Amino acid sequence: MRRYFARKVAIYLLTFFVAVTLNWLIPRFMPGDPVLRMLTRTSVSNPDAIAPMREYYNNVFGLDVPLWRQYLNYWAELLQGNMGISVWLFPAPVTEVILDAVPYTLALLIPSILLSWYAGNKVGALAARRRWLDNTVLPLGYALTATPYMWIAIVLAWSLAIIAGIFPVAGGYSFDLQPSWSLVFFNSLLQHWFLPFLSLFLVAFGGWAIGMRNMIIYELEADYANYLEALGAPRRLIRRYAFRNALLPQLTGLALQLGVLVAGALVTEIVFGYPGLGRLILMAIQNQDFFLLQGAFLFIVIGVLIANFVIDIVYVLVDPRTRTGMTGGAA
Amino acid sequence: MSDLARAAGEETAPSAGGEVVSAPAVPLATGPVAAAAPGARRTRDALHFALRNKKVVGGGIVVLAFLALGLIAPLFYDYGHSEYVGPQSSGPSGEYWFGTTTFGQDVFLQFVHGIRSTFLVGLLGGGLAALIGMTIGFVAGYIGGLVDEALNMLTNIVLVLPALAVLIILHTYIGITSVPSQALFIGIFSWPWVARAVRAQTFSLRTRDFVDLARLSGMGSGAIIRREIAPNMSSYLFMTFILLFGGSVLFAATLDFIGLGPTGVMSLGLMMNNAVHWSALQLGLWWWFLPPGLGITAIVGALYIMNVGLDEVFNPKLREM
């Protein structure tokens, strides 16, 4: 088990290292000069002013030292939690801006991921059992999982919010409220949360239901299922074993899906104008706020790595083979 | 990428680590396929069952219909997809089948152009991802040892790296100008689960007798992979490509929707972006934002259904489920 975790953590640290390096590398080696772009943005009319401004910016961004120094400086700043100053929300530090948005994104992601995984697995397992349910769940599941996240968000916003008027269309809370610990504010928060949550839930649900249904069918072909059947075990019991075995790949699937789910949350937030990371990224792109964009990128990477690690721990808890070091199979 | 990753989890059952916990539940061909004659018969057999499988035929018809629409329909128009041609914000009519935007652009024309780029990005992005993933999977699985360790490390890193976040950064700095370059980047970041799955399969095939025999007869590694191992999982590779195709389409739609798509090219994601940006929801211009999403869902959904059907075709045990 120790080897299992050591391996995992090594990969996550390495991934983090690669992500940070990419983050540092891309702006520096891409065609185009970021400083020049900032200068043109400010549209200085006096040509004499350009040279000192250029020098000033080079100094501010630390571009006047050798590359390896820049790279080390970048790490040093990062480890102190300093990701620079946002251009869009000048002069707020990027870390602060992002930390304000992260709770909204997490509030969408965590419940939708957990609930869709749970419900999808249950429904999928049921569907593998009953033909009529299978005939409805399967096409529906495939339709849902093929739906782009933003489109389902658009459809929900249009039908339930604009036409039916049941839910608010945009924002994290009502515009006439100030964030506070009151019941009114909480209620508004909940109302604005529901539709983005629902769109994330629906798309992910389809995927899990199909996954579980297919896994169960494969599991029921396995030797242990045949053996149990030959022994005369009740079908319920065989199903239960199949379900528990099918859960393991679904758990791996969850780890693999994290990136996609985060991507889904980003675009859903954009549709609903929800004040999370997605809207922040959109604003950063529109305002050419590269520090904010890169900060958001690192936050997403860190979040995905932490979630992966949590899933690893859960995996060890549910799969005794990893605990005893019996990794099974080759490699 | 949408549920590619889930598909990987579902079809190959790798453990969260590099270790394979349960045996891959993938329809592997039961016997070795080497000579040309049985190969041809197998293909004929597969075709026989495929044409009788409702899922394959139905999905195939939907996909081909959209492909034909995207290829042919734009030819009948003598104006561009972004030109202001009609009345503003008018609903579907005989002249403008899907109505017009707030600027008087023809939504149907935008839609068919969008389908074109959808197929292009799926084909190129999915194709590239398949190529990279299979190459790495075959090499890692067949050669093993240190090469395997290194490639496995690479695969795991790209696997946990959230691809969309990387693509957002790349796209913002580079500024994508064409669909192929968008597909290139999508392909570069969506191969890992394929590599993993193919590696696991190659692993189980490389100790079989017919592979040993080929090795004894002095065949090179490349030839063994190409002629002995790959044909034995051709059905699986084909299905992998279909999933990658669908994933690339969804990926591109997401990027286009954020506004990071290729400039000057109409895509279904960009249509949704425009519709949301110009308040089509509030104005009730449903003909502007419903078709693009419906188009993507139909194409990708049909591909997935086709995939289930193909699974049944290649894996006889599933046929009578």
Side-chain angles (χ1 to χ4, degrees):
Chain A
M1 187 165 71
R2 181 169 289 175
R3 195 174 152 263
Y4 170 83
F5 274 119
R7 219 187 141 92
K8 290 276 149 188
V9 170
I11 282 173
Y12 296 150
L13 286 179
L14 211 58
T15 309
F16 182 66
F17 174 78
V18 168
V20 171
T21 307
L22 270 181
N23 213 4
W24 177 83
L25 214 62
I26 292 173
R28 275 170 185 76
F29 291 92
M30 280 309 143
D33 180 350
V35 174
L36 190 68
R37 199 156 32 193
M38 289 193 71
L39 287 178
T40 42
R41 246 166 64 92
T42 49
S43 51
V44 188
S45 51
N46 183 0
D48 293 338
I50 290 185
M53 275 185 80
R54 183 172 199 120
E55 205 170 304
Y56 170 75
Y57 274 125
N58 275 335
N59 193 2
V60 166
F61 298 133
L63 295 174
D64 49 358
V65 291
L67 274 179
W68 63 270
R69 247 341 255 276
Q70 288 183 32
Y71 184 61
L72 288 185
N73 287 345
Y74 183 73
W75 268 104
E77 290 291 315
L78 191 69
L79 293 179
Q80 288 165 28
N82 183 2
M83 293 178 170
I85 305 287
S86 164
V87 178
W88 171 49
L89 294 172
F90 191 83
V94 164
T95 323
E96 217 168 85
V97 175
I98 293 176
L99 282 178
D100 279 345
V102 163
Y104 286 100
T105 302
L106 286 183
L108 281 185
L109 269 176
I110 294 177
S112 60
I113 289 177
L114 294 180
L115 285 176
S116 67
W117 194 78
Y118 180 79
N121 279 330
K122 284 284 172 205
V123 172
L126 277 178
R129 214 172 302 187
R130 290 177 190 84
R131 190 166 268 268
W132 67 268
L133 200 57
D134 196 29
N135 286 339
T136 48
V137 166
L138 198 64
L140 187 74
Y142 276 106
L144 281 177
T145 188
T147 312
Y149 279 95
M150 58 277 185
W151 189 65
I152 218 163
I154 288 174
V155 170
L156 286 178
W158 173 63
S159 59
L160 290 180
I162 291 172
I163 292 188
I166 306 172
F167 293 100
V169 192
Y173 46 85
S174 187
F175 291 120
D176 51 9
L177 289 177
Q178 286 290 323
S180 61
W181 290 107
S182 66
L183 204 64
V184 183
F185 179 72
F186 186 72
N187 190 22
S188 164
L189 216 52
L190 204 65
Q191 279 186 0
H192 285 80
W193 167 85
F194 186 73
L195 280 187
F197 158 78
L198 187 66
S199 34
L200 282 175
F201 173 84
L202 283 176
V203 179
F205 170 81
W208 300 128
I210 296 167
M212 180 46 98
R213 178 244 174 214
N214 292 349
M215 280 311 304
I216 289 260
I217 289 175
Y218 274 117
E219 286 297 330
L220 288 178
E221 281 176 32
D223 288 343
Y224 71 88
N226 286 332
Y227 180 62
L228 274 176
E229 209 173 349
L231 285 180
R235 277 190 86 69
R236 269 181 65 94
L237 185 74
I238 307 177
R239 291 279 177 179
R240 205 159 69 218
Y241 279 122
F243 181 74
R244 294 177 67 169
N245 273 301
L247 268 183
L248 293 178
Q250 288 286 86
L251 201 58
T252 312
L254 184 60
L256 295 171
Q257 274 293 82
L258 283 172
V260 178
L261 289 162
V262 172
L266 298 185
V267 289
T268 305
E269 282 175 11
I270 291 173
V271 172
F272 287 101
Y274 203 71
L277 276 180
R279 214 181 62 96
L280 218 55
I281 287 179
L282 187 71
M283 287 302 163
I285 292 171
Q286 285 173 356
N287 293 289
Q288 301 262 308
D289 188 345
F290 293 116
F291 289 114
L292 186 57
L293 192 65
Q294 296 190 291
F297 167 71
L298 278 188
F299 260 81
I300 292 176
V301 171
I302 294 172
V304 168
L305 292 182
I306 292 175
N308 262 296
F309 188 63
V310 171
I311 293 177
D312 287 339
I313 294 175
V314 175
Y315 205 94
V316 169
L317 292 179
V318 295
D319 186 356
R321 282 174 300 186
T322 41
R323 244 187 339 254
T324 51
M326 266 175 52
T327 42
Chain B
M1 172 165 106
S2 109
D3 73 354
L4 304 180
R6 184 194 51 72
E10 145 205 332
E11 270 171 318
T12 62
S15 82
E19 299 85 2
V20 177
V21 166
S22 50
V26 182
L28 260 186
T30 38
V33 193
R41 213 188 73 217
R42 264 171 52 88
T43 316
R44 219 172 43 235
D45 267 9
L47 211 62
H48 171 88
F49 282 109
L51 290 178
R52 270 158 195 75
N53 187 301
K54 269 189 248 160
K55 292 179 185 125
V56 176
V57 174
I61 287 176
V62 172
V63 173
L64 287 180
F66 272 104
L67 179 63
L69 189 68
L71 285 180
I72 297 165
L75 303 176
F76 291 97
Y77 289 83
D78 51 3
Y79 49 84
H81 54 71
S82 295
E83 280 180 48
Y84 308 141
V85 287
Q88 294 171 354
S89 317
S90 75
S93 63
E95 196 174 354
Y96 302 104
W97 290 356
F98 286 3
T100 58
T101 69
T102 28
F103 308 102
Q105 294 149 317
D106 189 337
V107 176
F108 181 71
L109 185 58
Q110 294 197 340
F111 179 68
V112 289
H113 270 283
I115 287 180
R116 249 188 205 194
S117 22
T118 294
F119 272 97
L120 191 60
V121 83
L123 209 62
L124 293 179
L128 182 66
L131 197 69
I132 302 176
M134 287 172 194
T135 310
I136 291 188
F138 280 135
V139 171
Y142 183 72
I143 296 181
L146 269 182
V147 178
D148 182 32
E149 282 290 328
L151 289 179
N152 213 1
M153 197 62 111
L154 179 73
T155 308
N156 278 324
I157 288 174
V158 184
L159 193 68
V160 277
L161 212 57
L164 188 91
V166 183
L167 287 180
I168 286 178
I169 297 278
L170 270 173
H171 277 57
T172 324
Y173 277 104
I174 299 177
I176 296 299
T177 49
S178 69
V179 177
S181 54
Q182 186 184 35
L184 176 77
F185 286 117
I186 292 177
I188 289 177
F189 285 97
S190 41
W191 56 266
W193 66 269
V194 182
R196 239 179 163 185
V198 171
R199 172 183 169 275
Q201 303 246 351
T202 310
F203 229 91
S204 72
L205 280 177
R206 75 164 180 181
T207 46
R208 301 272 190 95
D209 290 343
F210 63 95
V211 177
D212 284 338
L213 199 65
R215 210 177 295 132
L216 280 177
S217 66
M219 223 184 221
S221 297
I224 292 181
I225 291 174
R226 249 193 347 269
R227 284 163 53 190
E228 303 292 331
I229 293 181
N232 274 298
M233 41 202 269
S234 56
S235 59
Y236 182 68
L237 297 181
F238 182 65
M239 284 159 55
T240 303
F241 171 68
I242 290 186
L243 288 179
L244 283 172
F245 186 107
S248 290
V249 167
L250 290 175
F251 230 136
T254 307
L255 286 168
D256 295 342
F257 179 73
I258 301 178
L260 295 174
T263 40
V265 181
M266 186 44 70
S267 64
L268 298 177
L270 184 60
M271 284 176 76
M272 288 190 266
N273 171 318
N274 284 336
V276 170
H277 192 239
W278 301 107
S279 317
L281 275 77
Q282 283 78 3
L283 297 171
L285 309 179
W286 52 267
W287 53 87
W288 190 357
F289 56 79
L290 286 187
L294 215 53
I296 295 177
T297 310
I299 294 173
V300 178
L303 283 172
Y304 287 168
I305 299 268
M306 228 169 102
N307 215 35
V308 184
L310 284 175
D311 204 6
E312 292 170 2
V313 170
F314 295 129
N315 188 359
K317 282 189 200 163
L318 291 178
R319 261 176 218 153
E320 274 314 305
M321 168 44 213

